[in-house]
Every structure is written in C-alpha cells, then in structure tokens.
Amino acid sequence: EDKVVQSPLSLVVHEGDTVTLNCSYEVTNFRSLLWYKQEKKAPTFLFMLTSSGIEKKSGRLSSILDKKELFSILNITATQTGDSAVYLCAVRGGSEKLVFGKGTKLTVNP
Amino acid sequence: EADIYQTPRYLVIGTGKKITLECSQTMGHDKMYWYQQDPGMELHLIHYSYGVNSTEKGDLSSESTVSRIRTEHFPLTLESARPSHTSQYLCASSAGQGAPNYGYTFGSGTRLTVV
C-alpha cells in the first residue's frame, strides 16, 4: 500500500525564520512527488519532482527529491505570515492516483 | 482564476436527504477525482474517473456514487445523507502523463454538514 509520511505535523516559527518540511514515502512504480499549499480551501500546486537531486525553486520556496532514500524536503526561507498554511506532500505511483500525507501545519508569527 | 468549479461551497442539510455535489472543469482533462478531507486530516481518494463512462472507487470506502457522462462534469451523489458524511469534499482533475502540467488542479471544495 502506498504511503506518505510528513514531519513535523505542526510547526510554529517567527517571521524571517527558515523552515524545512519533510516528506518520506513508499510507493509502487514511483512517477512523481508533488507539494501543495492548502490555506482555507483548495490545495494549490507548488512543485512537481520526478528526478533526484534537481532542486526546484520558486521565490523563497525550494524543494528537492531523493529517490534513493525515498524522501523530499520543502524549504521556505525568510518566512512571512502569508506562508502560514498546511503544506501537503503527495506521491503518484503506477496507478496515477495521488496519495497524500497528513500535511504539515505551518504557523508564522509576526 | 479557477478552471475547476465546485458547487455549492457550503451545504447544511438534514439526515436522509439526497444531495448532489457538482464539479465541472474547463481544461478538457480526461482524469477527474473526488477526495474527502476531515479537519486536520489527509485527503482520501473516494472516486476517480479516467474518461467518459469510466468511474472507479477510490482507496477510502464511501457510500456516495459518481457519474461521468460528459468530460467536463463529474458530480457526486449521496442518496441518503447521514451525520457521518459531514466533511469537506474536494474535486480535482489532471492532465495526462505526457502533458506539460502533470499535477492536479483542485476545486475550492464543498464543506458538507449533515445535521
């Protein structure tokens, strides 16, 4: 059974801090790993990773995948209060269905 | 802007009522999905469709049913709602493996409360 485990489940930081969110997975016929940001409603797409060692960046957010060790990290530098959200990690295997982790709830205090 | 639309956004209904949650997308995606998410919990896949007249049950057992008569439309129906159905329901669609955007696009969700 495909599985995604995220850690920590909850994190509280101050503005300006740098955070690292972790995602480990077990999946049959791995195809891709995706990160989403979920505020009050729908998850919004951040990154899709398919190859090890290639960092994806978007502004202050970056992510990298390690297919050998079966994990990914999401980094957020110089955090802002607007970064407060639940960050979801999901993997897609051979079935093309996404399997989600429980998410990391990030709270950025001013 | 949203290319996948869910209605209603919020719904409070009485036990035993039949309800249909609507989901439509304008991206021409073949693949569509319904996820159920309880507060603070992960998303669980309850139904998916890889094209017209194709529907499958997901990993989480659900008493709901779905239909896919048109590519753009993937409604979810509960014949007799119960308080245990109270949850958020998220609809998503995805482009195929060869498409530039391989990720899912989610609708804004329907928050259902059954009293």
Side-chain angles (χ1 to χ4, degrees):
Chain A
E1 183 180 324
D2 298 343
K3 188 166 69 171
V4 176
V5 177
Q6 292 187 244
S7 64
L9 292 181
S10 182
L11 188 57
V12 181
V13 300
H14 291 289
E15 266 191 320
D17 288 350
T18 293
V19 298
T20 298
L21 310 183
N22 303 294
C23 175
S24 63
Y25 63 89
E26 297 174 19
V27 65
T28 305
N29 296 326
F30 173 88
R31 291 194 177 179
S32 56
L33 183 145
L34 295 93
W35 284 97
Y36 288 87
K37 177 182 181 181
Q38 185 176 26
E39 296 173 270
K40 293 206 183 296
K41 37 189 181 179
T44 54
F45 175 76
L46 294 175
F47 298 111
M48 184 175 76
L49 302 154
T50 56
S51 302
S52 281
I54 298 174
E55 186 183 46
K56 295 236 175 170
K57 290 198 72 163
S58 176
R60 296 175 293 103
L61 278 67
S62 64
S63 183
I64 197 160
L65 173 68
D66 186 328
K67 290 168 72 174
K68 183 179 176 186
E69 300 297 329
L70 306 183
F71 79 89
S72 173
I73 60 172
L74 175 68
N75 277 322
I76 308 175
T77 59
T79 52
Q80 302 171 357
T81 55
D83 295 327
S84 296
V86 175
Y87 290 84
L88 297 168
C89 175
V91 293
R92 175 180 280 173
S95 68
E96 290 206 38
K97 295 176 285 182
L98 281 184
V99 176
F100 284 84
K102 291 187 177 182
T104 294
K105 183 177 180 181
L106 174 66
T107 303
V108 182
N109 290 323
Chain B
E1 70 269 7
D3 295 311
I4 181 164
Y5 306 92
Q6 287 187 244
T7 58
R9 288 289 308 280
Y10 302 93
L11 180 61
V12 180
I13 61 164
T15 297
K17 299 290 186 185
K18 177 181 177 179
I19 58 166
T20 296
L21 308 185
E22 301 288 347
C23 176
S24 295
Q25 50 97 4
T26 59
M27 297 170 284
H29 288 168
D30 286 329
K31 298 177 175 61
M32 296 188 74
Y33 312 84
W34 276 103
Y35 284 84
Q36 184 175 342
Q37 185 181 31
D38 293 328
M41 301 297 289
E42 63 263 57
L43 283 77
H44 288 288
L45 181 68
I46 52 174
H47 297 284
Y48 63 99
S49 167
Y50 285 169
V52 171
N53 294 325
S54 155
T55 62
E56 301 285 346
K57 289 197 175 289
D59 304 318
L60 180 69
S61 175
S62 173
E63 293 165 347
S64 58
T65 59
V66 292
S67 63
R68 190 87 183 277
I69 298 171
R70 303 197 314 264
T71 298
E72 62 271 21
H73 195 213
F74 191 40
L76 181 146
T77 298
L78 277 165
E79 290 293 332
S80 179
R82 295 207 301 270
S84 60
H85 296 139
T86 295
S87 189
Q88 172 159 255
Y89 294 84
L90 286 161
C91 180
S93 70
S94 72
Q97 186 174 352
N101 179 11
Y102 192 28
Y104 283 23
T105 301
F106 282 89
S108 296
T110 293
R111 189 168 293 281
L112 173 66
T113 303
V114 184
V115 298

